[in-house]
Amino acid sequence: MYSLLNIINSPADLRRLGREQLPELARELREFLVESVSKTGGHLSSNLGTVELTIALHYLYETPEDRLVWDVGHQTYAHKILTGRREAMRTLRMAGGIAGFPRRDESPFDTFGTGHSSTSISAALGMAVAAKLSGSTRRSVAIIGDGALTGGMAFEALNNAGAMDANLLVILNDNDMSISRPVGALNNYLAKLMSGRFYAAMRRSSEKVLKGMPPMLEFAKRAEEHVKGMVTPSTMFEEFGFNYIGPIDGHDLDALLHGHAQHDVRGIRLQLYRPDRWSRSGCLARYAEQPP
């Protein structure tokens, strides 16, 4: 039933798979999550939504040397399963069992103890600055949800990170969902960034045409910021000093693997399974009601 998942006891095992095997692994991992949470209870939709993202991160980054910081922590069940805790999932949130959130004393892959919320960017920035000062090539990644991004600590960290030359990637997991549907000006702003798809497609096409004309390519790069204002809203993240790319389909493994080949800030919009109804669940009759 889980022919691939059963041989994954660490991300090192995952990285030995071919890319063509990853979609099947994602299917098995999602199946395992539903089966496991149906018995233990826990957060379901947030973890179904990050299956492909989790696989892509552990496939491309040399974890635990490279640091992943999740925000909020209840979306880390797939992360726990792929980092040697598959069998322990039967003890999820039980006395003496594994936690429903990252815990540093539980695994070296849990780099920061996170629950709720908005702490990932500052934590990952500290790790990135420490790596730079020590001469390490270690990379740091903060994965933050659109709900967690509304916290003041997240904005303080963005402000600090934009002024530092540190090897930091911030992934905005924009699934339009917190504990319930988010509200407010920031949520409305993030929705506008969806219009960036046209700009991203136009940019890729222009680069292909101009590669054979280096002077024109350099001119185009310098003019990019001015042109961008004509076709897509100037993003708040770029004002903080980041290069925003996105949104990327969070269930498209090819897009995720290609996107993470560069180390920039990315917006990833995930489609969840009925998030209002599946955000948290107690023990349930498996498949009593199928997600669409």
Side-chain angles (χ1 to χ4, degrees):
M1 185 176 182
Y2 303 117
S3 58
L4 288 177
L5 188 60
N6 284 340
I7 64 173
I8 306 298
N9 296 307
S10 75
D13 297 325
L14 168 63
R15 290 189 282 269
R16 281 191 280 269
L17 297 180
R19 288 198 179 195
E20 71 281 357
Q21 295 175 286
L22 299 184
E24 173 61 19
L25 176 63
R27 187 199 66 76
E28 292 183 14
L29 183 51
R30 187 169 279 110
E31 180 86 1
F32 182 89
L33 277 168
V34 174
E35 180 180 25
S36 177
V37 175
S38 71
K39 297 173 182 177
T40 63
H43 292 86
L44 184 56
S45 68
S46 55
N47 289 287
L48 292 174
T50 55
V51 165
E52 286 84 0
L53 175 60
T54 304
I55 290 173
L57 287 171
H58 281 296
Y59 193 77
L60 293 175
Y61 289 89
E62 293 294 328
T63 54
E65 174 61 18
D66 292 332
R67 307 297 167 83
L68 305 182
V69 184
W70 297 87
D71 190 358
V72 292
H74 64 243
Q75 61 188 335
T76 55
Y77 295 1
H79 162 80
K80 287 175 179 277
I81 293 166
L82 295 176
T83 54
R85 288 167 278 183
R86 182 179 67 253
E87 295 301 321
M89 284 296 291
R90 64 169 63 101
T91 69
L92 180 72
R93 307 198 312 174
M94 298 179 186
I98 62 173
F101 297 86
R103 286 185 59 176
R104 290 195 297 168
D105 61 355
E106 188 178 286
S107 170
F109 292 93
D110 293 357
T111 59
F112 192 68
T114 56
H116 292 282
S117 92
S118 311
T119 57
S120 59
I121 303 176
S122 55
L125 175 61
M127 296 173 189
V129 172
K132 180 182 177 181
L133 292 175
S134 66
S136 170
T137 58
R138 183 181 68 231
R139 296 170 291 179
S140 298
V141 182
I143 306 102
I144 186 167
D146 53 309
L149 188 65
T150 62
M153 188 178 292
F155 281 89
E156 180 183 4
L158 286 172
N159 183 52
N160 289 336
M164 294 184 180
D165 182 21
N167 192 4
L168 173 68
L169 170 66
V170 179
I171 297 173
L172 172 58
N173 174 7
D174 179 14
N175 54 26
D176 197 29
M177 193 68 191
S178 185
I179 295 175
S180 58
R181 292 205 173 275
V183 297
L186 182 60
N187 180 60
N188 294 334
Y189 176 80
L190 293 175
K192 290 180 182 178
L193 293 183
M194 289 297 289
S195 64
R197 286 176 175 166
F198 168 74
Y199 167 74
M202 187 184 73
R203 188 179 192 272
R204 287 193 297 269
S205 299
S206 299
E207 282 184 345
K208 289 180 181 178
V209 173
L210 296 174
K211 273 185 178 178
M213 300 179 285
M216 291 299 297
L217 180 60
E218 179 61 26
F219 174 79
K221 287 181 178 178
R222 294 187 179 208
E224 179 181 16
E225 287 303 314
H226 300 286
V227 175
K228 201 168 12 174
M230 301 176 188
V231 296
T232 190
S234 175
T235 75
M236 171 184 67
F237 308 109
E238 288 171 335
E239 297 301 326
F240 275 114
F242 288 99
N243 180 24
Y244 174 88
I245 298 177
I248 299 171
D249 182 354
H251 292 311
D252 186 335
L253 271 165
D254 286 338
L256 289 168
L257 292 169
H258 176 74
H260 289 298
Q262 303 175 29
H263 204 151
D264 298 313
V265 171
R266 292 178 165 78
I268 299 175
R269 195 173 189 90
L270 306 180
Q271 300 300 318
L272 298 186
Y273 297 113
R274 287 186 183 171
D276 284 323
R277 304 177 66 177
W278 293 82
S279 176
R280 290 171 292 175
S281 70
C283 300
L284 48 90
R286 188 166 174 243
Y287 303 135
E289 182 178 355
Q290 287 275 9

